[in-house]
Amino acid sequence: MTSERFLALIAAYGADARRWPERERAAARALADADPAAVHSALAEADAVDALLHLSRPVQPSLALRDRVIASAAEAGLKARREGRRWLDRLAFAFGAGWAVAACAGVVAGVMLTTHLTADAQADAVLYQASLMAVDDTEVLG
């Protein structure tokens, strides 16, 4: 690591070495340990700049600026892209349609099967009730 590269790292990333590229941290520390007087003033200046940057609050764009940017993009013919999700939307629609068809088929099969399986029980119930009424009629009529 050269002193010029070290100064470039400080200018780009600040005095905190945790923000520097990981592959260059060890070499930068070795240079700082080898010649602390050469890098001390640059680190102190970068640390002061970092402190000022941390004190400032982030600027929030106004709604008017946001609306102007969106309007200028629309005038330029730009549109919001949905190509990345279009296949996902189609896939979700296909799965949803498949679930709906399966649910309807289940309901139809259940109704048809229930009607078929309970036909014998319904016939038995009608014959039993008819036999009960016949007994009652004979008792009443004597």
Side-chain angles (χ1 to χ4, degrees):
M1 162 110 17
T2 64
S3 61
E4 289 82 20
R5 179 63 186 152
F6 188 83
L7 293 175
L9 286 174
I10 291 174
Y13 299 104
D16 189 4
R18 292 177 294 183
R19 288 182 281 194
W20 298 357
E22 195 170 324
R23 64 182 184 277
E24 298 192 53
R25 288 181 194 165
R29 279 194 199 106
L31 178 68
D33 291 341
D35 192 10
V39 297
H40 177 68
S41 64
L43 283 174
E45 184 180 333
D47 195 30
V49 171
D50 286 347
L52 286 174
L53 288 174
H54 287 300
L55 289 176
S56 66
R57 60 186 174 99
V59 177
Q60 295 293 327
S62 67
L63 290 176
L65 175 63
R66 180 178 106 14
D67 292 341
R68 279 190 313 202
V69 168
I70 291 172
S72 68
E75 287 173 6
L78 299 175
K79 296 183 229 174
R81 284 193 240 168
R82 290 187 45 92
E83 286 91 21
R85 283 200 38 176
R86 195 169 289 164
W87 67 271
L88 186 61
D89 292 343
R90 289 180 182 163
L91 186 65
F93 179 75
F95 281 142
W99 279 104
V101 167
C104 289
V107 168
V108 169
V111 167
M112 290 175 57
L113 189 62
T114 302
T115 305
H116 179 70
L117 291 178
T118 59
D120 293 335
Q122 288 175 349
D124 289 341
V126 168
L127 288 174
Y128 177 71
Q129 289 174 354
S131 69
L132 287 179
M133 295 197 59
V135 170
D136 289 339
D137 288 343
T138 56
E139 289 178 0
V140 171
L141 295 175

